[in-house]
Amino acid sequence: MLSLVAAVFANSMKRPAIPSFPAKDLFNSIEQMRKMTTLNAGQLLEMAKSVIPPLQYNKHKGQAGRVAVIGGCKEYTGAPYFAAISALKAGADLSHVFCTDEAAPVIKSYSPELIVHPVLDSDHSVEEILQWMPRFHSLIVGPGLGREEHILKTASAVIEQAKENKLPIVIDADGLFLVTQNPALIKGYTNAILTPNVAEFGRLYKKIFNKDPDPEEPVVTLKQLCRELGHVTIVHKGIHDIISNGDKVLTYSMHGSPRRCGGQGDLLSGSMGLFAVWAKWAQEENTKEGNSPPTYQHGMKAAYLACALTRECSRRAFEINGRSMTTTDMIVQIHSAFEYLFS
């Protein structure tokens, strides 16, 4: 128990004092503590170094990661922008957004750095997206996707092709709605990472098991769901983020901020989409070199690093902006948070 408490509050001397939650709010019982595994600051640093590729002068554009966001409709233009720009700011070389025709001019106006494709609602949307698929290293499906039937069918077809290409896929927001309607879409695909909040997790769990998850056993229910879905990685977001693939469990409990503005999950999914690429490459290299298998598979590593980055961005942005903090303020903090955590 003492080691867990030390891990949760590692680096506290480097950070401004933030009132801690009562232990009962962080964990429901001593038994829950035993079931969770939390990396301390030193272990996090070593895991990050094993995943993050060094910057080198002899590399060319695209070698550090090319990601694509599938999402963006008339009502929701901020979410795909936040996800795509977060991947870019975290270190991706190229970041694409596949959105509807109406959303494209708005998203383009947010940033000239993003490559925006207004094809998601076209009659030939699947064909137009799939012709780009060989260029991508990962997909982020769901931010601002909406729930229009044609668009959801397109997203399903894109996911199927991404599976054929063995791409890491991060699924969030309306992408989770799609998976809840059809869990077979990702079942058994271990390159998939789902990022549900409490409500989204509950709906998906009920779809699979025909009952609500036990709120007193978050780790148990998370592992059950991961296993039933074929060992996909799931990030159960909350006061503390719990990550599992059905076998192992990681938690990230360092405080972010008490501010709950919209868009923070998009920063998480965008950075996670990039980290999933880096972690997959690192694991493949590790296998080539004949090293022993890593303790945690690449999806869990990517999820853990993205959770850490998002919370640190939130903490820093809130320290400056307080109640007026927005996700845009968090994105400004990506560089300093990245350097603090991973350099």
Side-chain angles (χ1 to χ4, degrees):
M1 179 175 176
L2 290 175
S3 63
L4 177 61
V5 172
V8 170
F9 293 99
N11 277 346
S12 60
M13 297 301 293
K14 297 181 181 179
R15 301 182 179 205
I18 301 176
S20 61
F21 296 113
K24 65 183 177 63
D25 291 332
L26 278 173
F27 304 99
N28 290 315
S29 66
I30 297 299
E31 182 61 25
Q32 288 292 349
M33 283 184 163
R34 293 193 187 105
K35 292 172 183 173
M36 292 185 183
T37 302
T38 301
L39 299 186
N40 62 37
Q43 291 169 319
L44 169 61
L45 179 61
E46 289 307 308
M47 188 170 75
K49 288 180 177 178
S50 74
V51 166
I52 298 170
L55 293 172
Q56 297 176 331
Y57 288 102
N58 62 349
K59 287 192 173 182
H60 60 74
K61 180 177 66 180
Q63 286 186 293
R66 301 186 294 270
V67 304
V69 176
I70 309 298
C73 60
K74 179 180 179 181
E75 294 84 1
Y76 304 114
T77 58
Y81 162 74
F82 288 142
I85 201 68
S86 295
L88 201 61
K89 292 286 187 179
D93 283 346
L94 294 168
S95 192
H96 296 248
V97 177
F98 290 85
C99 60
T100 65
D101 185 62
E102 286 184 295
V106 182
I107 297 172
K108 286 181 179 181
S109 74
Y110 295 151
S111 172
E113 284 95 359
L114 305 181
I115 303 167
V116 183
H117 307 262
V119 302
L120 200 53
D121 54 348
S122 75
D123 292 338
H124 305 287
S125 55
V126 175
E127 292 84 352
E128 293 190 65
I129 296 173
L130 293 190
Q131 69 178 341
W132 284 87
M133 189 72 73
R135 306 187 189 196
F136 302 137
H137 296 126
S138 72
L139 291 185
I140 301 140
V141 180
L145 187 67
R147 299 185 181 182
E148 197 275 320
E149 184 177 359
H150 170 72
I151 292 175
L152 291 178
K153 286 182 178 178
T154 296
S156 295
V158 171
I159 290 172
E160 292 289 2
Q161 186 58 51
K163 287 160 58 179
E164 290 291 324
N165 292 5
K166 299 181 180 180
L167 298 182
I169 309 172
V170 176
I171 300 179
D172 188 32
D174 286 325
L176 293 168
F177 171 81
L178 177 61
V179 168
T180 300
Q181 301 306 303
N182 180 22
L185 187 61
I186 52 85
K187 187 170 184 178
Y189 188 63
T190 55
N191 280 328
I193 308 174
L194 312 184
T195 61
N197 58 28
V198 172
E200 292 163 338
F201 181 86
R203 288 191 288 268
L204 182 55
Y205 187 93
K206 189 168 186 177
K207 173 71 174 184
I208 298 296
F209 295 104
N210 199 32
K211 63 179 181 180
D212 293 323
D214 183 352
E216 299 299 317
E217 293 288 349
V219 176
V220 172
T221 55
L222 175 59
K223 292 179 75 173
Q224 287 173 344
L225 186 57
C226 293
R227 288 169 182 163
E228 190 64 26
L229 290 174
H231 294 276
V232 302
T233 298
I234 299 179
V235 182
H236 191 338
K237 299 182 292 190
I239 293 177
H240 50 284
D241 298 324
I242 313 174
I243 306 159
S244 182
N245 61 358
D247 293 326
K248 299 193 179 285
V249 177
L250 289 169
T251 64
Y252 197 82
S253 299
M254 291 305 298
H255 296 300
S257 79
R259 180 81 165 109
R260 290 294 176 267
C261 56
Q264 296 186 57
D266 303 309
L267 193 160
L268 177 72
S269 62
S271 60
M272 197 179 299
L274 174 64
F275 292 154
V277 174
W278 290 352
K280 182 173 180 284
W281 287 346
Q283 185 164 306
E284 290 170 347
E285 186 63 28
N286 184 73
T287 301
K288 286 180 184 177
E289 294 176 356
N291 298 326
S292 58
T295 303
Y296 299 103
Q297 296 299 305
H298 57 87
M300 292 189 66
K301 288 183 179 181
Y304 192 91
L305 299 184
C307 289
L309 181 67
T310 302
R311 285 180 180 244
E312 183 62 16
C313 287
S314 180
R315 186 191 71 79
R316 289 168 179 262
F318 184 78
E319 186 179 81
I320 296 169
N321 299 282
R323 287 182 181 272
S324 67
M325 183 192 89
T326 63
T327 299
T328 301
D329 300 315
M330 290 175 58
I331 290 169
V332 171
Q333 298 299 324
I334 287 177
H335 170 70
S336 60
F338 192 104
E339 291 295 306
Y340 171 76
L341 289 167
F342 308 137
S343 294

Coordinates of all heavy atoms in Angstrom, one line a residue, residues 15 122 134 143 166 185 257 303:
R15 N 6.0 19.7 -8.1 CA 4.7 20.3 -8.5 C 4.1 21.2 -7.5 O 4.3 20.9 -6.3 CB 3.7 19.2 -8.9 CG 4.2 18.3 -10.0 CD 3.1 17.3 -10.3 NE 3.6 16.4 -11.4 CZ 2.8 15.7 -12.2 NH1 1.5 15.8 -12.1 NH2 3.3 15.0 -13.1
S122 N -19.6 12.1 -48.7 CA -19.8 12.0 -50.1 C -20.3 10.6 -50.5 O -20.3 9.7 -49.7 CB -18.5 12.3 -50.8 OG -17.6 11.1 -50.7
P134 N -3.0 3.6 -47.3 CA -1.6 3.1 -47.2 C -0.6 4.1 -46.7 O 0.5 3.8 -46.3 CB -1.3 2.7 -48.6 CG -2.6 2.5 -49.3 CD -3.5 3.5 -48.6
P143 N -13.9 11.5 -33.0 CA -14.0 12.9 -32.6 C -14.9 13.7 -33.6 O -14.5 13.9 -34.7 CB -12.6 13.4 -32.5 CG -11.8 12.2 -32.3 CD -12.4 11.1 -33.1
K166 N -3.4 -3.6 -40.4 CA -2.8 -3.8 -39.0 C -2.4 -2.4 -38.4 O -1.3 -2.3 -37.7 CB -1.6 -4.7 -39.1 CG -2.0 -6.1 -39.6 CD -0.8 -7.1 -39.6 CE -1.2 -8.4 -40.0 NZ 0.0 -9.4 -40.1
L185 N -17.1 -5.3 -34.5 CA -16.2 -4.5 -35.4 C -14.8 -4.5 -34.9 O -13.9 -4.4 -35.8 CB -16.8 -3.0 -35.4 CG -16.2 -2.0 -36.4 CD1 -16.3 -2.5 -37.8 CD2 -16.8 -0.7 -36.2
S257 N -6.7 18.7 -13.4 CA -7.3 19.9 -12.9 C -8.8 19.6 -12.6 O -9.3 18.6 -13.2 CB -7.2 21.1 -13.9 OG -8.2 21.0 -14.9
A303 N -1.4 4.2 -24.2 CA -2.5 4.8 -23.4 C -2.0 5.5 -22.2 O -2.4 6.6 -21.8 CB -3.5 3.7 -23.0

